[in-house]
Amino acid sequence: MREIDALEFWQAQGSAYFCELSTFGALPETVVLELLQAGRVLALDAGEHLYEVGERSDAFYIVLTGQMKSYMPRSDGGWTLARCHDPGDDMGFVPMIALLARPAFAMAVEDAVVLEITSGHFLDLQQQKPDAFGLMLLNLVRGTARAFINMASTLAEQDYELHHSYQKGH
């Protein structure tokens, strides 16, 4: 994992690219560029981990390019895919807000670039640009809500399959 220059990355992607990312939806371009420059833009190679289970959650991340996946530990020592993160998705926002240690590890599925936003930078946004903060918070909550709905749908489908299999066997 290496830090890359935020302004160079902004210029290479073009400002319109960032406006299409769900977490930045409806934010002024100037605010998005300020977020990139205040945070850390990190490039990860495929297979590289961004963070590990149990680490302190004092920042969250926005996938800018590539794909990331989060894996949660199981009681049998294995790992379960918890979520796929595409460009525009956040990672680690919920545990940061909940003041919990990271419950999963995040890994780049392919070469990826992410933006790290610390809790301090997020607070600065709230204090200095409350309207932009409100929009970004709404975008983050919307993404979290979609992830929860997807997880609940997956659990409901697994529950149906389990009961269907059980009924066939008896």
Side-chain angles (χ1 to χ4, degrees):
M1 178 172 33
R2 66 193 185 288
E3 188 168 351
I4 61 176
D5 184 83
L7 185 57
E8 285 179 19
F9 185 74
W10 170 268
Q11 291 169 339
Q13 297 299 316
S15 60
Y17 174 80
F18 295 93
C19 295
E20 298 299 317
L21 299 178
S22 59
T23 299
F24 299 141
L27 286 175
E29 289 179 7
T30 56
V31 171
V32 176
L33 180 56
E34 288 172 15
L35 285 167
L36 289 172
Q37 292 178 312
R40 290 191 317 151
V41 179
L42 303 169
L44 294 97
D45 295 327
E48 196 169 4
H49 289 204
L50 178 62
Y51 53 77
E52 301 296 331
V53 172
E55 288 182 0
R56 186 180 164 133
S57 295
D58 54 1
F60 67 99
Y61 302 85
I62 308 300
V63 179
L64 300 177
T65 64
Q67 186 184 61
M68 304 284 295
K69 289 186 177 179
S70 294
Y71 293 89
M72 305 264 314
R74 295 191 316 247
S75 59
D76 68 357
W79 298 93
T80 295
L81 175 63
R83 188 171 169 204
C84 296
H85 308 275
D86 294 314
D89 291 344
D90 69 277
M91 297 179 303
F93 177 70
V94 171
M96 185 190 84
I97 293 299
L99 302 174
L100 296 173
R102 299 214 184 273
F105 76 83
M107 181 182 75
V109 177
E110 58 193 35
D111 292 353
V113 176
V114 301
L115 169 63
E116 178 186 66
I117 300 173
T118 66
S119 55
H121 290 132
F122 201 50
L123 176 62
D124 290 344
L125 180 64
Q126 187 271 328
Q127 292 174 337
Q128 296 167 10
K129 297 190 182 332
D131 290 344
F133 174 81
L135 280 172
M136 186 170 183
L137 187 58
L138 180 63
N139 293 338
L140 287 162
V141 170
R142 184 178 295 121
T144 300
R146 288 179 181 146
F148 287 163
I149 290 168
N150 286 340
M151 283 187 249
S153 295
T154 299
L155 288 172
E157 186 60 32
Q158 288 175 345
D159 184 62
Y160 169 79
E161 292 295 327
L162 178 65
H163 286 290
H164 186 71
S165 296
Y166 179 75
Q167 289 173 348
K168 278 186 175 181
H170 289 88

